[in-house]
Amino acid sequence: MPPVFVLIWSTGFIVARYGMPHSPALTLLAWRYGLSVLAFGLWIALSRPSWPQGRTQWLHLGITGVLMHAVYLGGVWSSVRAGASAGTVALIAGLQPVLTALWVSASGQEQRVAPRQWAGLLLGLAGLLLVVWRKLGEGELGAFNLGLAVAALLGITVGTLYQKRHVQPCDVRTANFVQLAAAFAVTLPLSWAVDVAPLQWHPELIGALAWSVLVLTLGGSSLLYLLIQQGAATRVTSLLYLVPPCTAVMGWLLFDEGLGPLVLAGLAMTAAGVALVVRAAPAPHDR
């Protein structure tokens, strides 16, 4: 699952580049969540999986849906829409594994982060910096779009830790349905209140929306849910270090963006750092 998840998740910024010129960020996300709820609803009606047990689990899933979908994606896409480059936002969001490791070590909720894992986290962060450093534009960040990017970082970090602690294992289809319904319920009224520009049904927008629903949400979000349920938070979030480098490669292939020696060195450092984190021996209860 991890390699497939990284490849799918890395297409998020590519989709944003295609779709957001034709739609405000929150409006596009509201359409994505609404269509995703319908798609999961159809899947559930055909396969009839079990639903989460008890109101408490529904509440926990709703909270993680708001944090990991509405706050994270809303912050990322709105920050890009407000003028930040995808590379800059990727760098800020790339701090998530370090924040997760700090919380895990301080709280003692899981096995404490081992020195080998800390070395991997720092090596991955250094590789990430090499990949996105050339994309950082001078003066592109203001208080507004920086705040949106930081909110996205906190949303995905807190959401991952919250799900790992509070959400009991359940069917990924019904879990995603509840999470996305909660994200839709939050994002739709925000889009009405915040977005001013109209949505334009351009072929690029339709393609971006179809990919967002069928691949990123049904595929990527489902894989992330399963990875969090099956692995320690530190090891799972370290995979997100690989997303900006993979995005850089996709940008090179699709848009002829530069892929120089520093980027290639960053790719190697990031891969080595993630390997150190995920190969550290877990405790029995950490699996």
Side-chain angles (χ1 to χ4, degrees), residues 5-271:
F5 165 73
V6 170
L7 288 174
I8 291 176
W9 208 255
S10 298
T11 63
F13 289 116
I14 304 298
V15 167
R17 176 166 178 170
Y18 274 115
M20 277 200 298
H22 311 291
S23 171
L26 295 182
T27 299
L28 182 56
L29 285 174
W31 273 95
R32 170 178 170 173
Y33 299 148
L35 292 174
S36 297
V37 168
L38 291 177
F40 271 111
L42 178 60
W43 192 1
I44 291 168
L46 293 174
S47 57
R48 299 186 180 278
S50 59
W51 287 90
Q53 298 298 310
R55 295 181 180 178
T56 301
Q57 281 303 299
W58 281 67
L59 176 62
H60 290 325
L61 284 167
I63 291 173
T64 58
V66 170
L67 290 170
M68 299 176 67
H69 293 284
V71 176
Y72 171 63
L73 288 177
V76 166
W77 286 34
S78 297
S79 182
V80 173
R81 179 78 176 183
S85 71
T88 301
V89 179
L91 173 59
I92 296 171
L95 297 174
Q96 185 204 351
V98 176
L99 288 184
T100 302
L102 289 172
W103 175 258
V104 168
S105 287
S107 65
Q109 293 178 6
E110 297 180 0
Q111 179 189 19
R112 295 181 69 86
V113 181
R116 179 182 178 183
Q117 290 178 299
W118 277 116
L121 288 168
L122 295 176
L123 183 61
L125 180 59
L128 182 64
L129 286 169
L130 282 179
V131 171
V132 301
W133 186 261
R134 58 180 294 275
K135 297 185 178 182
L136 297 179
E138 294 184 1
E140 74 173 58
L141 279 179
F144 180 65
N145 54 15
L146 175 61
L148 290 170
V150 172
L153 167 63
L154 295 176
I156 188 70
T157 303
V158 176
T160 299
L161 294 168
Y162 188 95
Q163 177 174 320
K164 184 65 180 176
R165 181 173 176 81
H166 294 289
V167 175
Q168 297 176 0
C170 59
D171 190 273
V172 67
R173 292 160 290 188
T174 53
N176 265 305
F177 181 91
V178 176
Q179 289 180 327
L180 290 164
F184 178 70
V186 170
T187 304
L188 182 62
L190 279 177
S191 69
W192 291 340
V194 173
D195 290 343
V196 178
L199 182 145
Q200 301 173 347
W201 288 106
H202 190 277
E204 292 179 353
L205 174 66
I206 297 173
L209 192 57
W211 183 271
S212 294
V213 173
L214 299 176
V215 181
L216 281 169
T217 301
L218 270 69
S221 296
S222 298
L223 287 173
L224 179 59
Y225 176 86
L226 292 172
L227 287 168
I228 293 172
Q229 289 296 318
Q230 297 179 11
T234 303
R235 296 201 304 274
V236 172
T237 57
S238 69
L239 295 173
L240 298 179
Y241 268 155
L242 297 173
V243 171
C246 286
T247 303
V249 173
M250 291 179 183
W252 171 64
L253 291 172
L254 297 173
F255 306 119
D256 198 26
E257 295 180 353
L259 194 65
L262 286 180
V263 174
L264 295 175
L267 292 174
M269 292 172 61
T270 302

